[in-house]
Amino acid sequence: MVIKRLVSVLLLLLIIFQIHHFQRKVDHIRLYEQSNETLYFLPQPEVMHTMSMGYHHLSAEIMWVRSILLYSDFVMSCKESESEWLLSTLRAVKYLDPEWRSVYFWGGTMLSLCKHIDGSDELFIAGSAQFPDDAFFPFSVAMNALLERNDTELALDWMQRAANKDTAPPWYKAAVGGLLKEGQGQDASIRYLEEQLKDENLRPNVRSLTEYRLNLLRHEMAQSQLEHLRDQWRDTHEEPLDDLNMLGDIPADPFGVGWVQSGDGRIRSGLLEAQEAKRVVEQETSWLMRKDWGQQ
């Protein structure tokens, strides 16, 4: 009996020691190993379908609202983890409510703005399969192929599929013709987004995202023109160009902020330059926060 009590006391002391040890370790992690990374739950479509217990559409709507809210926070500088979370969530929403067109329509657009082009194509292609008469989805795949993959042949294939549908607006066929001419891809894309903005029923947040994407395209065209003019000026004067206004009548910044020459040699809108600087600072901060300063 005495031996059993002695063993019990020893075990209790051992447990107390381990708890104290782990508590100190937790304090060290909490105080010295902080991270600015956000963890996201990645839902499994089949599991979510079972857990919804028949309330599939309601669960899809709740997850959709959650997607929109978080997306609005990170859309300007999407990280890979954020894009993967968004795709995973949209897959679950699509599985729960496969006939909900907005999931494919806006989900694919959101992912393209986050530069997750594989995920964007996945939703647009799924939308094309779910709504075979809808010309928007194959045309959107074509836009991704043209703007993000620089694959004119793939873009032309999908654009022709879109233009041949009864619901396709007449200018889709003109866009197909434009793709057959070198350098017409961006013009077709700009026309595409301009046509979207003519829809008076666009919700304010959707209109804002569409305008942002349109301005990005206009920015790319103006940026290319400005950098070409700058290079010509340097070749002529054999010295760096400090003031872009010396180029004369230059294209306006689509974002309305003004052009700046970045340290990496590119010319950007002041808005995009500020976003790039913020992204770099966040990366450096994340790296610093992960270092175990307590062991230095």
Side-chain angles (χ1 to χ4, degrees):
M1 190 70 175
V2 176
I3 295 177
K4 287 184 178 180
R5 289 182 179 179
L6 182 59
V7 171
S8 298
V9 171
L10 290 174
L11 287 174
L12 180 59
L13 290 174
L14 179 61
I15 291 172
I16 293 174
F17 173 78
Q18 290 295 331
I19 291 175
H20 178 66
H21 173 73
F22 287 131
Q23 182 62 50
R24 293 187 62 185
K25 224 177 164 182
V26 168
D27 286 341
H28 177 80
I29 293 173
R30 178 172 59 86
L31 295 173
Y32 301 107
E33 298 184 15
Q34 295 178 355
S35 172
N36 63 348
E37 292 293 326
T38 302
L39 299 179
Y40 294 101
F41 164 70
L42 299 179
Q44 294 296 322
E46 296 82 1
V47 174
M48 295 300 299
H49 190 274
T50 302
M51 291 177 62
S52 63
M53 300 177 67
Y55 293 95
H56 304 149
H57 291 182
L58 177 60
S59 299
E61 290 174 4
I62 293 173
M63 295 182 70
W64 174 255
V65 171
R66 178 66 171 165
S67 302
I68 296 296
L69 291 175
L70 283 179
Y71 171 74
S72 63
D73 290 336
F74 58 67
V75 60
M76 293 302 181
S77 57
C78 298
K79 300 176 183 176
E80 184 178 354
S81 60
E82 293 165 338
S83 299
E84 287 296 335
W85 169 83
L86 180 60
L87 175 58
S88 177
T89 303
L90 292 174
R91 282 172 176 162
V93 175
K94 173 174 67 72
Y95 193 88
L96 291 168
D97 193 355
E99 296 181 0
W100 192 3
R101 183 175 181 271
S102 293
V103 180
Y104 309 97
F105 188 99
W106 297 118
T109 302
M110 289 190 293
L111 285 164
S112 69
L113 287 173
C114 274
K115 299 299 181 182
H116 196 317
I117 307 306
D118 289 340
S120 177
D121 280 347
E122 178 183 323
L123 284 179
F124 284 144
I125 292 173
S128 182
Q130 185 68 36
F131 303 95
D133 296 329
D134 196 319
F136 171 85
F137 296 111
F139 195 86
S140 296
V141 179
M143 290 296 98
N144 279 346
L146 181 66
L147 298 176
E148 306 297 342
R149 303 187 188 279
N150 198 28
D151 189 336
T152 305
E153 184 176 348
L154 180 62
L156 184 59
D157 177 39
W158 279 99
M159 197 173 287
Q160 286 175 326
R161 298 187 202 186
N164 290 332
K165 295 185 183 297
D166 293 336
T167 58
W171 66 271
Y172 272 25
K173 293 186 183 296
V176 172
L179 271 183
L180 298 175
K181 300 178 182 179
E182 185 178 358
Q184 295 298 308
Q186 282 185 322
D187 291 334
S189 305
I190 289 174
R191 176 72 183 278
Y192 164 64
L193 295 176
E194 287 175 340
E195 290 293 329
Q196 281 189 307
L197 289 172
K198 290 180 181 179
D199 184 356
E200 297 180 355
N201 296 320
L202 279 181
R203 289 172 295 178
N205 60 330
V206 173
R207 180 174 297 277
S208 177
L209 289 173
T210 305
E211 289 174 345
Y212 181 78
R213 193 177 189 188
L214 176 59
N215 285 334
L216 281 177
L217 285 174
R218 290 171 172 167
H219 178 275
E220 289 177 5
M221 295 185 70
Q223 181 185 47
S224 177
Q225 181 181 350
L226 276 173
E227 290 178 350
H228 177 69
L229 291 173
R230 179 198 60 190
D231 293 343
Q232 284 187 327
W233 193 95
R234 285 177 176 175
D235 293 341
T236 301
H237 296 81
E238 298 182 350
E239 61 179 356
L241 176 65
D242 296 325
D243 185 359
L244 292 175
N245 291 320
M246 296 177 66
L247 295 175
D249 187 17
I250 61 175
D253 171 17
F255 293 101
V257 176
W259 299 101
V260 296
Q261 296 194 74
S262 178
D264 62 4
R266 301 304 306 273
I267 298 176
R268 295 189 182 92
S269 164
L271 176 67
L272 299 186
E273 182 68 11
Q275 291 175 4
E276 177 66 14
K278 180 182 177 182
R279 184 188 65 81
V280 172
V281 170
E282 286 178 347
Q283 284 184 340
E284 292 177 348
T285 302
S286 176
W287 179 80
L288 290 171
M289 294 290 285
R290 290 195 187 106
K291 290 188 70 65
D292 188 359
W293 297 109
Q295 297 180 10
Q296 296 299 314

